[in-house]
Amino acid sequence: MKRRHKVATAVLSTLFVAVPGVAGAAAVAEPASSPSAGECADRPPRVPGAQHQQVACLDDLTTTGLARTGHTDPADWAGLTQEALPVPDAVPGMQIDGYFHDTSTTNTNHGWNHDSQFVLRLPENWNGGLVISGTPGNREQYANDRAISDYVLAKGYAFAATDKGNTGAEFYTDGRRPGDAIAEWNHRVTQLARAAKATVTQHYRQRPTTTIATGLSNAGYLVRWQLENHPELYDGGVDWEGTLWSEDGPNLVEYLPEVLTAYPRYAEGGEDAEAAHAAMVEAGFPEGSEFLWQSHYEIYWDLTQRIYREEIDPEFDGDLRAGHPYCAPGAPQCDADYDYSERPESVHEAVERIGLTGEIGKPLLTLHGTLDVLLPISEDSDVYAEMVREQGREHLHRYYRIEDGTHTDSFVDLHPDELRALTPCHRTAFEALEAYLHDRTPMPESATISRPADATPQDLVTTCDLR
C-alpha cells in the first residue's frame, strides 16, 4: 500500500532495535536431506503467492558464505551483534529470494525497488523445523542473518524472513490511514509463515514438525502479535525486547517526548540538571544507564519519536512529515511537546488496531535488558508480562530480565565492562523452548538474570545461563 502524499526528504538513520558448529541442535525430527544440487536447479520449489522468486544452490548459507556470494547485505545486519560473535561452520543448501505483490517501493535490494521482499533458506541437512522472523527497526530482510539465521541454520532449521512490507526511516508513507504501515508488518509475517510452511513441505516432501517465531525489537513485537492472533501457525516463540504497542500505553511516543525535553537540560549541567535527571529516571531510563544517554539522544530518540509519531498521528505536525529534528520544547509542532493522552480518539484507534493484548496462544519466552534505553524495560516488557498475566496466560510465558543488557549488542563492544550481550541469552531461551517442545522439559522460571561475577567480557559473547 502507498499513501498518496508527497514524501519528504529522506532521513538517513533508521531505528536499530544492530563456535565452529552450534551446540544444542533441536531434536524435533530425524535429519532429512534436501534434493541434490542438480534437482535444486531443475525443480526448485515454488513459494505460494510470490510474485517473483529466484533460487540459488549455495555451498554456505551462513553470513560468511553469503557475503562472499552476494546473497546477503551486511548493511542490513550491521550493528546488531558484537563483532566477536562466532559464525558457525558452512551450511550448504538452497536460498530463495523473492517478493509478494505490493505497491510500495522502499526496498531496493536486488535492484527490484519492490517491498514485501523475503528470503527463505533451506539447509541440506534439515532437522524438521522452521523459524519465521520479521526484521528489527525498519531494516530489510537480511537484518537477522548474523543474529538469528546463522544460528538456526547451523541447528538444521529452515529459516524465513520478511522486510515487513515497508522499510527505511520513511516507512510511515506506506498505507492509506494512520497505523497502516505497522499493520502491514503483521500481515506480511503471517503471509510468509503460511508460504514458508508450504514451501518447506514441497522441498523436503514432509511438513515441518516445529515452527518457531522469533525476532528482536520491532520483530519481537511481531512475535507477540503472531502468538496472540495466529497461534495456529506456530509451536512457540522467542521475543527479544519486542516493542510494546497498546492503546492504554505506555507507548514509545509517550516516554520519548519526556526524555527529549529532559536530556538536553541534564547534559547542560546547569542548576536544572538534577531535576532533569530525575525526570529521565521517572520516564523509565534507569540510574546506571547514563553512559548510554548521549549516544541514544544523538542516534535514536529524536528520530524514533518523530517517525513513529508520524505513523500513528500525521495530523500533529500538519503538512510536515516527521516534524522538526531536535526542536526545542515550546517550538511549534515540536515532538518534544507531544502528548499522546491528549490526542484525538482517531490516534488512539490507530494504536488499538496494531496493539497487543497479552492473550498469547502458544508458549512465549521474552528477554529484555535492564539497561535498554531505547525501549526501557519498565515501560515495555515489564508491562507486557503483566498484560499476559492479566489474560490468564502466564503459564505460557517466561520472562527473563537480563541485567546490564541493552537494546543492541554493538554497544557492548563500546562498553564491555558495563554491558552484556543479549544474543547468547536469546540462544539459551531458544534452546529452552526447543527442549520444552520436544519432551516438555520445563522452561526456566521467569527471573532477573544477574551478570555472573566471575565472567569476563569474552565469556559473555557466547554464554548466558537462564536458570
Side-chain angles (χ1 to χ4, degrees):
M1 296 178 292
K2 194 172 184 180
R3 284 187 189 156
R4 297 176 182 174
H5 61 60
K6 183 177 180 181
V7 179
T9 302
V11 182
L12 296 180
S13 301
T14 62
L15 168 61
F16 292 159
V17 201
V19 296
V22 180
V28 292
E30 290 298 317
S33 296
S34 63
S36 68
E39 288 179 320
C40 174
D42 296 339
R43 295 189 299 158
R46 186 72 199 172
V47 178
Q51 187 173 346
H52 176 76
Q53 70 173 58
Q54 60 186 32
V55 179
C57 302
L58 302 171
D59 293 332
D60 187 6
L61 294 172
T62 75
T63 50
T64 298
L66 298 175
R68 184 174 60 247
T69 61
H71 288 86
T72 185
D73 181 358
D76 277 6
W77 35 269
L80 293 176
T81 62
Q82 288 187 269
E83 286 291 333
L85 182 70
V87 179
D89 292 337
V91 178
M94 175 188 294
Q95 175 161 315
I96 305 176
D97 291 286
Y99 55 78
F100 298 106
H101 174 74
D102 201 347
T103 57
S104 56
T105 59
T106 61
N107 189 341
T108 61
N109 273 331
H110 306 285
W112 290 340
N113 298 318
H114 198 289
D115 289 344
S116 299
Q117 292 190 36
F118 63 83
V119 60
L120 176 57
R121 299 191 175 111
L122 305 167
E124 284 186 6
N125 189 24
W126 183 50
N127 71 358
L130 170 64
V131 173
I132 303 292
S133 190
T135 55
N138 308 109
R139 297 179 182 227
E140 296 164 348
Q141 68 268 30
Y142 303 117
N144 295 305
D145 284 4
R146 187 101 161 81
I148 298 174
S149 178
D150 277 355
Y151 170 69
V152 300
L153 286 168
K155 283 175 162 288
Y157 286 92
F159 173 78
T162 170
D163 69 4
K164 310 193 301 286
N166 45 72
T167 67
E170 292 188 338
F171 79 99
Y172 55 80
T173 61
D174 194 12
R176 293 186 297 273
R177 56 179 177 163
D180 272 359
I182 293 178
E184 185 176 4
W185 300 353
N186 296 310
H187 164 65
R188 295 303 180 182
V189 174
T190 304
Q191 179 182 45
L192 180 64
R194 290 172 173 153
K197 293 177 85 163
T199 306
V200 163
T201 302
Q202 289 180 54
H203 184 63
Y204 297 109
R205 304 183 181 94
Q206 65 184 68
R207 295 176 181 175
T209 57
T210 304
T211 303
I212 294 173
T214 192
L216 64 145
S217 193
N218 279 342
Y221 155 76
L222 296 170
V223 173
R224 296 172 179 180
W225 194 94
Q226 289 293 312
L227 295 191
E228 290 179 5
N229 293 276
H230 288 290
E232 75 282 358
L233 295 175
Y234 308 94
D235 295 285
V238 182
D239 154 31
W240 180 348
E241 66 195 15
T243 310
L244 179 64
W245 287 105
S246 168
E247 193 276 326
D248 294 330
N251 298 304
L252 58 86
V253 294
E254 294 178 84
Y255 52 77
L256 287 179
E258 296 179 30
V259 300
L260 289 173
T261 298
Y263 177 74
R265 303 187 345 252
Y266 166 76
E268 286 173 3
E271 293 182 358
D272 193 34
E274 184 175 346
H277 181 273
M280 295 283 295
V281 174
E282 179 66 21
F285 297 75
E287 293 190 58
S289 67
E290 291 89 349
F291 66 96
L292 294 166
W293 290 359
Q294 180 179 350
S295 59
H296 282 69
Y297 176 73
E298 293 173 350
I299 301 170
Y300 298 115
W301 293 341
D302 178 77
L303 176 69
T304 301
Q305 165 61 27
R306 290 185 293 105
I307 64 177
Y308 286 90
R309 189 273 306 152
E310 185 72 20
E311 163 64 1
I312 65 165
D313 191 359
E315 298 303 318
F316 173 74
D317 55 2
D319 291 335
L320 291 174
R321 295 292 176 258
H324 302 279
Y326 298 100
C327 56
Q333 301 167 320
C334 180
D335 272 275
D337 295 322
Y338 186 75
D339 186 347
Y340 170 76
S341 67
E342 296 297 321
R343 298 302 295 160
E345 184 63 26
S346 60
V347 176
H348 293 256
E349 290 173 354
V351 175
E352 185 176 25
R353 283 200 302 121
I354 61 173
L356 298 167
T357 65
E359 194 174 358
I360 55 175
K362 289 291 174 63
L364 174 66
L365 291 79
T366 295
L367 61 144
H368 204 126
T370 61
L371 295 184
D372 190 328
V373 293
L374 180 56
L375 303 177
I377 192 169
S378 65
E379 308 303 298
D380 191 295
S381 292
D382 285 358
V383 178
Y384 187 68
E386 180 62 18
M387 291 167 64
V388 173
R389 189 195 66 78
E390 290 176 352
Q391 292 286 356
R393 304 303 175 94
E394 64 269 31
H395 63 288
L396 293 174
H397 193 222
R398 296 292 185 274
Y399 176 34
Y400 309 112
R401 307 174 83 255
I402 311 299
E403 285 193 349
D404 299 339
T406 195
H407 198 72
T408 48
D409 282 356
S410 58
F411 279 99
V412 182
D413 290 339
L414 300 175
H415 307 282
D417 295 324
E418 292 82 19
L419 297 172
R420 70 177 297 179
L422 291 183
T423 301
C425 301
H426 170 262
R427 295 178 176 186
T428 304
F430 189 96
E431 290 171 3
L433 178 60
E434 284 182 309
Y436 174 78
L437 295 176
H438 174 55
D439 61 9
R440 291 301 187 259
T441 298
M443 296 180 288
E445 293 299 320
S446 300
T448 296
I449 307 301
S450 299
R451 180 176 180 150
D454 57 348
T456 67
Q458 292 72 32
D459 294 333
L460 295 175
V461 174
T462 57
T463 60
C464 181
D465 187 356
L466 297 180
R467 296 187 183 274

